[in-house]
Amino acid sequence: MRFDGTTVLITGATGGFGSHTARRFAELGARLVLGDLNAEPLETLAKTFTSDVITLAGDVRDPAYHRALVSLAVDRFGSLDCAVNNAGIVQPMSRIPDTDPVVAKNVIDVDLMGVFYALQAQLPVMSAQFESAGTGGAIVNIASAAGLIGSPFLAIYAAAKHGVVGLTRSAAAEYGRKGVRVNAVCPSFANTNMLNDFLDASPNGREAAEHALTRGIPMGRVGRVDEMVQAILFAAYPQNSFMTGETLSVDGGLAAV
């Protein structure tokens, strides 16, 4: 897979999935537009690349931030060919009655509305490119295995990720004739800093939390980041031109049982 000359926008770029995804796209020839909440980690990440990289810090809960990211891509590189809507957070494990409403709203605002606002900014630009030049684009939304099955003690996170799957399928149907492919990657938990923080914050202890996460996975382990990134690249690959509206499960078989 090569992405020479393509412009790729990635949100949540400094996290485990985001930074590894950015690095692989860069290695495969892409120009990068990287977004995340804080400017300093973004700038530190950008300095590790030799390819064309621009960054913009902001809050994915703000629709104007997504419009600014898309405008930056077009103004700097002339097009937006791929977007990976990766920014997300996870809730502490809790039963539904015990889940803090403030936490619940924030998860919905970041994980679901952040993707919705991203699509609002990205879809018109990509479809206009298709109309004018015959090249649209590909959008990859990072959902979760929790977006495909029930997730006890992670209900609001699962609800948000189910929403991402719904947005993905709806956008694919709306823009299939407009040159934009929209797919979702649905990973189970992988060995990222977010997972480690989540496990460390578990009220029942890290070992019990990790056992709870992996006991239903046929492969018996959490995923590796590189395994998730490979699926993102596959969904984004320009020659993978007839796949849209799909959810790619990268979950060790979790959704199969």
Side-chain angles (χ1 to χ4, degrees):
M1 290 186 289
R2 295 295 303 179
F3 293 88
D4 298 293
T6 62
T7 303
V8 179
L9 187 163
I10 303 172
T11 64
T14 66
F17 288 171
S19 60
H20 283 74
T21 299
R23 196 165 307 284
R24 287 295 291 133
F25 270 115
E27 290 170 353
L28 294 169
R31 304 169 301 198
L32 301 178
V33 180
L34 305 181
D36 214 313
L37 186 61
N38 297 311
E40 185 175 347
L42 270 176
E43 293 169 1
T44 300
L45 176 63
K47 291 176 182 177
T48 66
F49 294 102
T50 58
S51 56
D52 290 330
V53 179
I54 50 176
T55 65
L56 181 66
D59 192 334
V60 295
R61 296 172 295 184
D62 181 1
Y65 175 56
H66 294 281
R67 294 193 296 270
L69 280 171
V70 170
S71 294
L72 186 61
V74 174
D75 292 345
R76 182 68 172 269
F77 298 130
S79 66
L80 175 62
D81 305 298
C82 174
V84 180
N85 296 317
N86 168 69
I89 58 174
V90 68
Q91 67 176 100
M93 294 183 77
S94 62
R95 296 184 185 274
I96 293 172
D98 301 326
T99 302
D100 186 336
V102 175
V103 170
K105 185 178 185 305
N106 196 38
V107 170
I108 293 294
D109 286 346
V110 173
D111 291 4
L112 177 57
M113 297 307 296
V115 174
F116 174 70
Y117 296 142
L119 291 172
Q120 283 191 314
Q122 295 157 6
L123 288 165
V125 170
M126 289 184 176
S127 62
Q129 290 172 176
F130 179 72
E131 185 174 347
S132 64
T135 56
I139 296 174
V140 184
N141 295 324
I142 306 305
S144 170
L148 300 174
I149 59 177
S151 297
F153 308 104
L154 292 171
I156 201 67
Y157 176 76
K161 294 301 187 177
H162 272 74
V164 171
V165 170
L167 281 174
T168 298
R169 290 172 173 161
S170 299
E174 286 185 21
Y175 280 81
R177 295 178 184 270
K178 296 180 180 293
V180 186
R181 298 187 302 108
V182 189
N183 294 287
V185 171
C186 298
S188 62
F189 284 101
N191 54 343
T192 63
N193 289 336
M194 187 170 80
L195 174 62
N196 288 324
D197 292 344
F198 170 77
L199 294 174
D200 290 339
S202 172
N204 297 320
R206 181 187 177 93
E207 184 176 347
E210 186 166 357
H211 174 71
L213 289 179
T214 58
R215 64 186 175 188
I217 299 176
M219 293 185 74
R221 62 174 175 87
V222 298
R224 300 192 310 269
V225 173
D226 65 290
E227 293 171 321
M228 311 305 163
V229 172
Q230 190 64 25
I232 295 169
L233 295 171
F234 173 74
Y237 187 42
Q239 291 190 14
N240 189 13
S241 53
F242 202 54
M243 187 182 80
T244 193
E246 288 300 316
T247 53
L248 302 181
S249 296
V250 192
D251 60 8
L254 178 63
V257 295

